[in-house]
Structures are given as structure tokens and as C-alpha cells.
Amino acid sequence: MASSRKSPGFVQRYVLPALLLFALPLFGLWFSGHASDRFDAQVLAVIEKQIGLDAELSAEDRQEALAFYRAVSASAACLSDGEELARYRENLGSACSDVKQFGWARLGSWVLLALGVASTVVALLCGLAAFISRPFQYGSFLVGWLVLRVTSALQVLGQGVLAVWLSYWVTALWTQRYYPKLIGAMAVIAAIAIFLVVVAIFRRPPMDFDVEAEEVPEERAPELWACVRRLCERLQTSPPDHILAGIDTNFFVTEHEVRVDGRVLTGRTLFVSLSLLRLLERSEAEAVLAHEMGHLLGGDTGHSKRLAPMLAHFGHYLQTLYEGGVTRPVFYFMAAYRGLFELSLGRSRRASELAADRLAAGVTSGQDIARSLVKVGAYASFRDRVEAKLFAQDEQHQSVAIAQRVAHGFSEYAQSEAVHDDLHRAVTPHPFDSHPPLGARMENVGVHLKPADMAQVLLEPVASSWVEAFVDAEAIESRLWGVYEERFSQAHDLALAYRYEPSTEEERQHVEKHFPPLTFEGKAAGHEVRLDYAQVSCSEWEQPIEFDRITSASTADRMFKKYLDLQVTGEGRFKGRRSICLSKLKDPEGALEAVGRYLGRHRFMKEHRSKSEAA
């Protein structure tokens, strides 16, 4: 039964987690005030006791002294420079240094909160400005990225220092003890997080855009090149510098640098799908090509090229914040800004798609646009179904033959009810743009096709396609499908190694091909750790422990040595915790990675088996 639970909205997904940015400063603000109040109460209690025991004071002097000390708190005296409180400060002595720390912590917390509010204002203004127009979108994101990466780095620095301070004072105040290891660990974590964030600000991530395709120079498809130039002339835009032919389920045009077979192509690049060209009449394919050229005319590709480096840099920065641990609250805040910007980006991209459709309809026809959309959407959906079904099977494939399965089964799929459900939800796949739903795109060009009309479109034989214009289309397809299907087969083989229990000799051999028995030698003779797909053993143990009995695994440092602790269930002496001293091994990191990978395989296998039994 399909789940009826709705996906979280923008508020639940972004806004509420972003509020965690204020959690630590608010706690720091409260705790510093709490510590000052507690200090004042303790000092006042001591002073009241001393005044009460001072026999030299008259009743009037005693009341006057009590009134003074009750009116002026010890923390206020410590933080004051007035001469009238100098004697009070002298009496407090070194205790004032603690009070000054509370004051600095309170001030730091206020600064962090103010910085958070200012960052929120900047994020909202830049995020909302991105909805105005494309120039505003680029400019607002540029300003937002430049400002927020600095304020977020300051938040990481400030909250890191505050966290280290709290790691001492929280325990010291509430338990009358402090823990050097806790303070040291927090300091190291904060320092690493600050370092990683600073590095991420200045490190530019790679912008490689790899495409599995073959470049088609004009001599290999002169008629197609002439058609593209003719369309560009009618649209009054410059033609592409390169045409790539592949087997993906989309067409696209880009001005990004494209890497193909180790070569980097610059300028305007058009990608055409040979698989889809076979399905499209020439006029329908021309409508698709005109749509892509419309993106060039509308400046969509240039806008994408300008934004892409900043988006990639922002994404890398977000990943660093997420992996930093203590930087997670800052990550949620920055992710909220990115989410707000993505709303504007999706809106403008959908508008660009509709505009490109209208341009294409103007130089071809609305019918050709609509028919091509139906065919592309149906082919992409059916191919996804074929690949998903193949990958879900728990048997090895002698030959995946995806291309043949799609070609032979498409007609039957086109006559089924499934195609209408798929087309109703269809959003044309694309590496750069966010496409509107199929219905909205057809309505945009003034065409309405009923389900029966769509089925008829899919079943009509193709009279003439642009694949015929290629000198060697079959050879290109054969090479690309061979590479794709081999990679698919390898991924499926690895997936089977995760799914098998194994329950047969053949399955055991398949699992051991990917998870062979391993031995990690110790630094001392005779010490070793062994593991296979089912169990792990250590020379210090009396017998192996099956992965099925391990409930959790974690690392710990004890007596300057690193251990892998395994929580074990079951009966007998091996119930409880068993440990592997990683420091005694020649390759401790390799052993830790291997145990985690083999244990992960076992848990995935159990989960897969339980789902299969429940299905």
C-alpha cells in the first residue's frame, strides 16, 4: 500500500532546523546569567552569615550593611570600575575573574545572537530578491554567498569557543568537577571544524561535467548540422559549436565545459539522444532541437554557466558544514538559505522551459512539441521501469540487454494503463533545468491530448527519423550501450553480494567474490584478526563472533590505545562486549573499514530478506 504521509514542507524541512543556529548562543546566554546569579547568591549567603556573626556591629549598622550587599550584587561589583565598590572587589579577590568570564560569555552570546539575526535578514532579503528577475537572481545569490559565508564562519568560530568554555563551566558549576578530556576533546573538535570551514571557503570544487557520448563532427551528420543551423537562423541565435550523440533519455544544450572521452569541449554544446531520435519523427525532433536552441536565445545557458560555479562552491561548503559535527546548526541555517534560493531558481527555470517551448512552437508547431513531449516522457519512464525491474531481481543476469528489452517492450507498455500514470507524473529528465509537468507544457503551446491520443502517438510507426542522417549511428549506439550495460551489470552483481545470505554454494561464491575472507596481522607474532562475510574472529578470543549477534560497533580510546568495541547478544561467555585492540594491528584503519563494510553487508542482507518475506 502506498504511504499517505506527506513530504515535509519548507518550514519543517528548512526553517525549523535553521533555528538551531540560535540554540547554543541562547543556552550560553542563559547559563552565563544562571552562573552569575548562583555566584551572587553564594557570596551573599557568606556575607550575611559574616555580618550576623560580627558582634562589633550595632543593629543599625548590621541592617545598613545587609541592605548594601543585597542591593549591589557581587557580579555587579566585579564588573564595575567605580571607587565606591573598590573595597567590595578587594574582598571578593580572585573570584571576580570567574564573574568576568560569565560577563564575557554573556556578551559573546549576545553577539552571536545578533549576528544570527543579521544573517537571517540578509538571507531573507537576498532570497526574496532572487524572485524579482534573472539579473536580481544572480546578484542576490552573489551577495548572499559572499556575506553569509563570512557570517557563518564567524558563527562557527564563536560557537566553537563558546562550546569549549561551556564544556568546563557546566560541569564545574553543577558537579563541582571539571573533566580535562572533555574540554580537550571539545577544543580539538572546534579547532578542526574552524579549520575545515576556512579551507572550504577558499577551496573551489572541481567543475567537471562528464558526458557519456561521442562527438559528431559535421562530416558524420551533415544533414543534421544543416538542420540545426537552419533552426538557429530562424531563431536568430548562434548555432552550437559541438554536437554530441548519446543514449541518455534527454536532449540538452549547455555552455559549460564538457568532458567527453578525456577531451574538454568549450563553447556551446548540443547533446542529442540517438535512442529518442529513433522514436521521433523528423518534425518532432526538430521541435525538440528548436526548444534547446531557444535556451541559447533566451540566455538560459549563459545564466546557468555564471551560477554553476557559485552553486557548486556553496554545495561543497554545505557538505563541509554538515560533516563538521559541531557546525551542524550553521549547516541547517545555510541550507535554509539555499532552499529559499532553489525555490526562485526552480521558478525561473520552469518559466524558461515554457518560454523555450513557445519559441519552438513558433518555428515548428505546437503539435510537434506536444507529441515529442509525450514520446520522450513515455520512453524515459519505461526505460526507468525496465532498469528498476532488472536491478531488483535477485538472480545474476547472463545479459542485461537493456536496449533490446526497451525496444521490444515499448509497444506493450504504450497500450497499458501504466503509461498514463507515468505521463501524468512525467517531468522530462534534464541535467540543468527544472521542467514543468507534461500537462502544463502542452497547455502552454495550445495543445490538449487525451489519453487515447497519447497512446496513438506512441504506437504510430516512425516514417523518418534523424538517426538516418548519421553515418554511423548504429555503431555509436552499440559502443555506448555496451559500456552502459557492463556498468549496470557490475553494479547489479555488487548489489547481489549485499542481498545474498548466502543460502547456496553458488551464492556463497558470489558473495566471497566481493567480500573475500580477510586476515589482518598484528604487530606481535601470533596476533591477528580474521573475518569473512558471516563472522569476525580475534586471536585473543576463544571463538569467532557471528555478525548476526553484533548489535552495535563503536571505537574508543583507552589507555592510549584505540579499540573497536562490539556489543554482542546471545547466551554464554560471549554475551556483552568484545573488543579488538586496533593499535595492535599493522593496518588498524584497514581492519576498521573492513569490519564496518562486512557488518554493513550483513545488516543490509537481513533488511533485504525481511522486506522480501513481507512482500
Side-chain angles (χ1 to χ4, degrees):
M1 180 181 294
S3 173
S4 59
R5 187 169 60 183
K6 295 182 179 179
S7 58
F10 187 86
V11 173
Q12 291 84 357
R13 185 177 179 182
Y14 291 111
V15 177
L16 295 181
L19 295 178
L20 289 174
L21 178 73
F22 302 95
L24 188 62
L26 284 172
F27 178 76
L29 184 65
W30 172 84
F31 181 81
S32 58
H34 165 73
S36 296
D37 293 341
R38 187 165 175 169
F39 175 80
D40 292 341
Q42 291 173 347
V43 170
L44 182 60
V46 172
I47 291 176
E48 288 178 340
K49 184 177 180 180
Q50 291 176 345
I51 292 175
L53 294 175
D54 192 344
E56 297 180 0
L57 292 176
S58 64
E60 184 178 346
D61 291 340
R62 184 176 291 109
Q63 289 300 322
E64 183 179 349
L66 287 173
F68 171 77
Y69 285 111
R70 287 170 180 169
V72 180
S73 66
S75 57
C78 288
L79 297 175
S80 173
D81 295 327
E83 292 295 329
E84 68 277 6
L85 298 177
R87 185 177 178 184
Y88 194 177
R89 290 195 297 274
E90 291 176 2
N91 292 334
L92 291 172
S94 61
C96 274
S97 63
D98 293 342
V99 175
K100 289 180 179 179
Q101 286 192 45
F102 303 148
W104 281 109
R106 185 185 297 109
L107 177 61
S109 298
W110 275 117
V111 170
L112 289 174
L113 288 172
L115 184 62
V117 171
S119 300
T120 302
V121 172
V122 171
L124 286 173
L125 290 177
C126 291
L128 295 176
F131 286 89
I132 298 175
S133 66
R134 182 177 289 172
F136 270 95
Q137 187 178 74
Y138 176 78
S140 66
F141 188 72
L142 177 62
V143 172
W145 165 234
L146 292 177
V147 173
L148 293 179
R149 67 178 179 180
V150 174
T151 60
S152 62
L154 292 175
Q155 283 283 357
V156 171
L157 175 62
Q159 294 200 22
V161 172
L162 183 59
V164 174
W165 184 83
L166 288 170
S167 68
Y168 168 78
W169 274 107
V170 168
T171 57
L173 188 68
W174 289 344
T175 67
Q176 307 304 313
R177 296 181 61 186
Y178 67 92
Y179 301 90
K181 286 187 176 181
L182 174 63
I183 301 169
M186 187 59 67
V188 170
I189 293 173
I192 292 175
I194 294 168
F195 173 76
L196 292 176
V197 166
V198 172
V199 170
I201 287 177
F202 296 101
R203 175 179 293 172
R204 294 187 177 276
M207 287 295 297
D208 293 339
F209 176 40
D210 293 299
V211 178
E212 283 194 356
E214 292 190 16
E215 186 176 7
V216 183
E218 188 167 1
E219 60 269 19
R220 293 171 64 183
E223 193 178 355
L224 177 65
W225 271 95
C227 173
V228 171
R229 289 197 178 97
R230 185 171 61 253
L231 291 172
C232 289
E233 185 177 348
R234 293 184 64 184
L235 290 169
Q236 297 183 350
T237 186
S238 300
D241 302 295
H242 314 277
I243 293 181
L244 303 179
I247 57 172
D248 291 351
T249 56
N250 56 55
F251 295 79
F252 66 84
V253 66
T254 181
E255 293 186 47
H256 293 272
E257 291 185 349
V258 176
R259 187 182 299 273
V260 180
D261 288 335
R263 296 173 54 241
V264 177
L265 306 180
T266 58
R268 296 180 165 192
T269 301
L270 170 66
F271 175 91
V272 298
S273 170
L274 294 175
S275 303
L276 291 174
L277 284 179
R278 290 191 179 279
L279 199 65
L280 299 172
E281 294 286 353
R282 290 202 173 202
S283 61
E284 296 164 355
E286 288 171 14
V288 175
L289 295 174
H291 169 94
E292 299 302 333
M293 297 306 104
H295 284 304
L296 293 175
L297 176 64
D300 305 330
T301 54
H303 182 61
S304 175
K305 183 180 180 180
R306 289 191 299 273
L307 268 180
M310 287 193 297
L311 291 173
H313 199 171
F314 197 108
H316 175 70
Y317 187 63
L318 281 179
Q319 182 179 1
T320 302
L321 290 174
Y322 183 84
E323 295 173 351
V326 294
T327 58
R328 194 68 64 83
V330 183
F331 159 79
Y332 288 127
F333 178 83
M334 295 295 283
Y337 169 66
R338 177 64 182 265
L340 180 60
F341 181 77
E342 287 293 339
L343 289 178
S344 71
L345 195 61
R347 178 185 177 187
S348 65
R349 284 174 172 172
R350 287 189 292 273
S352 297
E353 289 301 314
L354 296 176
D357 282 342
R358 290 192 294 272
L359 284 172
V363 297
T364 57
S365 73
Q367 279 290 335
D368 285 325
I369 287 287
R371 290 169 63 90
S372 66
L373 290 173
V374 170
K375 290 185 177 182
V376 171
Y379 178 87
S381 299
F382 182 59
R383 179 166 156 180
D384 285 344
R385 283 175 173 267
V386 170
E387 293 183 5
K389 183 178 179 180
L390 278 171
F391 203 82
Q393 293 178 6
D394 288 339
E395 301 85 23
Q396 297 184 55
H397 301 298
Q398 296 297 325
S399 173
V400 291
I402 297 173
Q404 289 81 357
R405 294 174 191 268
V406 173
H408 295 157
F410 187 74
S411 295
E412 181 179 352
Y413 167 75
Q415 301 176 68
S416 67
E417 291 296 326
V419 69
H420 302 304
D421 295 334
D422 290 345
L423 287 175
H424 179 71
R425 298 188 299 266
V427 175
T428 308
H430 198 282
F432 301 108
D433 299 318
S434 174
H435 285 71
L438 175 62
R441 295 186 68 180
M442 289 197 297
E443 182 180 352
N444 178 57
V445 293
V447 177
H448 176 71
L449 295 179
K450 298 178 181 178
D453 299 328
M454 295 184 188
Q456 183 64 31
V457 167
L458 297 175
L459 292 172
E460 288 177 355
V462 177
S464 177
S465 77
W466 276 107
V467 171
E468 301 163 2
F470 289 78
V471 174
D472 53 351
E474 290 79 6
I476 295 174
E477 285 183 290
S478 178
R479 288 191 292 268
L480 294 176
W481 273 114
V483 172
Y484 182 83
E485 291 175 349
E486 176 62 24
R487 188 171 64 250
F488 183 95
S489 181
Q490 291 175 357
H492 183 252
D493 278 354
L494 179 59
L496 292 181
Y498 275 88
R499 297 174 192 171
Y500 287 157
E501 187 173 356
S503 56
T504 66
E505 178 62 21
E506 183 180 2
E507 289 181 356
R508 184 190 64 78
Q509 292 178 4
H510 186 85
V511 172
E512 288 189 339
K513 182 176 73 172
H514 296 277
F515 296 89
L518 298 176
T519 300
F520 293 90
E521 297 180 353
K523 297 175 181 177
H527 182 71
E528 64 181 18
V529 172
R530 295 176 177 269
L531 72 156
D532 56 35
Y533 67 85
Q535 61 187 13
V536 58
S537 65
C538 179
S539 56
E540 297 177 345
W541 303 344
E542 294 182 4
Q543 64 187 57
I545 296 177
E546 297 83 3
F547 286 126
D548 202 43
R549 295 174 55 195
I550 299 176
T551 59
S552 66
S554 60
T555 57
D557 292 319
R558 294 190 292 272
M559 299 299 291
F560 305 103
K561 293 182 180 180
K562 188 174 184 179
Y563 289 83
L564 173 61
D565 295 330
L566 306 174
Q567 292 296 328
V568 182
T569 61
E571 302 295 334
R573 297 175 60 185
F574 281 83
K575 183 178 180 181
R577 187 181 75 183
R578 304 299 295 174
S579 300
I580 298 174
C581 183
L582 297 170
S583 300
K584 294 182 179 181
L585 301 176
K586 293 181 179 179
D587 184 12
E589 295 302 322
L592 180 62
E593 186 275 334
V595 173
R597 188 159 51 90
Y598 281 48
L599 178 60
R601 187 215 80 87
H602 184 82
R603 289 177 172 174
F604 183 90
M605 176 272 295
K606 289 186 64 178
E607 182 180 358
H608 176 73
R609 188 173 59 179
S610 63
K611 288 181 178 179
S612 299
E613 292 172 353

